[in-house]
Amino acid sequence: MPDTILSDIDFERFRKIIYDESGITFSSTNRPVLDSRIKEILREKKLATAADYFKVITTDHEEMKRMLDSVTTNLTRFFRNQPHFDALIHYVIPHVLEEKRKTGDRTVRIWSAGCSTGEEPYTIAMIMKKILPPGYLFSIMASDISLKSLMVAQRGFYSDSKVVGIPPDYLSKCFTKVEGGYQVNRDIMSCIKFDYHNLQHDAGARNLDVIFCRNVMIYFDEPAQMVVLDRFWNSMAAHSYLFIGHSESLFGMKTRFEFLKTDWACLYQKNL
């Protein structure tokens, strides 16, 4: 099999269909990534050319999902970018609870969008279990476009190397040591609903208090980012908060979100 699988025509076809289906953009810079993923798929399926596989994904919706899964980069860890979680603990949740007291609503609703293998939503759940005062509940919706990653997340098992960085008190209270690693405890797992979701479509959620969508929109161009941001806006409560990746920014974009700088981290808010 040659080093380069995708001809220029193949690359344009795959790039367009991936963008149309998911909003993920492959440029000439990250073309080698797409090339290597398609090469691997052809080897697994014993197909001769990229054109052969393109015919498959245009006629088989499930195979289209598997292809999107394979070209998605999934890099995450527990308590990734700690300042975001510090801001959640010391600023966001206190302000969310202040609004809840006005309305009598006692459930904090959170979405981990692009949750990968689950480390982010489990981190959020551990924190919420610890800091939420008596009488309040929380729910976490966790979604991703990678079915393979979601299967890992739903299982809730992580090897010893994956739990490095979890504070000892969280590890002892929220995990059980098992052979080969750690299992997330049932009381934490029950707070999270994992689901397949493509961010280019409406998830149907409403009145969300917090959305985490970190290091996801960096793969979208601006029109696709605007689609996602508009969907987030419509899903969020009147006073709510959006976390994006530390290398991402809404600067220069015509969104309705307000930039918010706290003592711990920068984020965005919906404030009506």
Side-chain angles (χ1 to χ4, degrees):
M1 190 171 287
D3 290 338
T4 301
I5 288 297
L6 299 176
S7 67
D8 289 345
I9 292 175
D10 289 331
F11 176 63
E12 289 302 324
R13 283 175 176 168
F14 276 95
R15 179 167 71 169
K16 183 178 186 304
I17 201 166
I18 289 169
Y19 178 79
D20 290 345
E21 291 291 327
S22 68
I24 296 172
T25 301
F26 277 92
S27 64
S28 56
T29 303
N30 54 15
R31 176 173 175 168
V33 175
L34 180 58
D35 195 278
S36 66
R37 302 288 169 84
I38 298 299
K39 182 178 181 179
E40 185 177 333
I41 292 171
L42 296 185
R43 185 183 296 111
E44 290 174 357
K45 296 190 171 298
K46 297 180 172 56
L47 294 173
T49 68
D52 291 335
Y53 186 58
F54 189 82
K55 291 177 183 177
V56 174
I57 63 173
T58 53
T59 57
D60 186 336
H61 183 65
E62 290 304 312
E63 188 57 38
M64 172 69 78
K65 284 185 178 181
R66 284 190 283 272
M67 188 270 292
L68 293 175
D69 188 335
S70 70
V71 302
T72 303
T73 301
N74 297 297
L75 175 63
T76 187
R77 65 177 183 273
F78 288 100
F79 290 88
R80 185 182 188 185
N81 195 352
Q82 181 65 46
H84 278 171
F85 298 113
D86 292 337
L88 179 72
I89 294 167
H90 299 294
Y91 185 93
V92 170
I93 294 305
H95 281 79
V96 166
L97 294 181
E98 186 178 328
E99 291 298 324
K100 296 287 181 186
R101 293 184 190 103
K102 297 176 184 177
T103 63
D105 181 7
R106 291 185 170 269
T107 300
V108 179
R109 300 171 183 85
I110 301 173
W111 183 9
S112 171
C115 70
S116 189
T117 47
E119 286 89 338
E120 179 180 89
Y122 284 130
T123 298
I124 298 168
M126 288 188 282
I127 289 171
M128 295 299 290
K129 275 278 188 183
K130 182 176 182 178
I131 70 170
L132 211 58
Y136 286 90
L137 303 173
F138 70 94
S139 65
I140 299 173
M141 177 175 73
S143 66
D144 203 273
I145 200 171
S146 168
L147 291 169
K148 188 187 304 180
S149 295
L150 286 170
M151 288 176 66
V152 173
Q154 287 179 318
R155 185 183 176 197
F157 169 81
Y158 297 92
S159 65
D160 293 335
S161 63
K162 292 290 187 180
V163 300
V164 172
I166 298 178
D169 59 329
Y170 282 110
L171 189 61
S172 63
K173 291 178 181 178
C174 303
F175 291 79
T176 299
K177 185 72 176 83
V178 295
E179 184 179 353
Y182 288 80
Q183 177 66 45
V184 180
N185 289 344
R186 180 55 57 185
D187 64 324
I188 298 296
M189 296 184 71
S190 64
C191 299
I192 305 171
K193 179 184 178 182
F194 289 100
D195 196 14
Y196 174 87
H197 178 64
N198 185 329
L199 287 176
Q200 294 298 296
H201 303 143
D202 185 3
R206 296 295 182 267
N207 295 315
L208 294 167
D209 300 296
V210 185
I211 294 180
F212 279 78
C213 184
R214 303 187 300 169
N215 308 302
V216 176
M217 289 190 292
I218 196 171
Y219 298 105
F220 301 160
D221 63 5
E222 188 168 322
Q225 289 175 349
M226 289 301 301
V227 168
V228 173
L229 290 168
D230 284 344
R231 295 199 186 283
F232 284 167
W233 180 272
N234 293 332
S235 298
M236 296 169 74
H239 303 282
S240 47
Y241 300 86
L242 170 66
F243 288 89
I244 63 176
H246 71 276
S247 63
E248 299 172 311
S249 172
L250 306 187
F251 181 76
M253 299 176 65
K254 294 181 179 180
T255 79
R256 291 168 283 183
F257 289 101
E258 298 176 11
F259 178 75
L260 175 63
K261 184 177 182 179
T262 72
D263 291 339
W264 302 272
C266 296
L267 57 146
Y268 294 86
Q269 63 179 342
K270 176 178 177 178
N271 196 12
L272 293 179

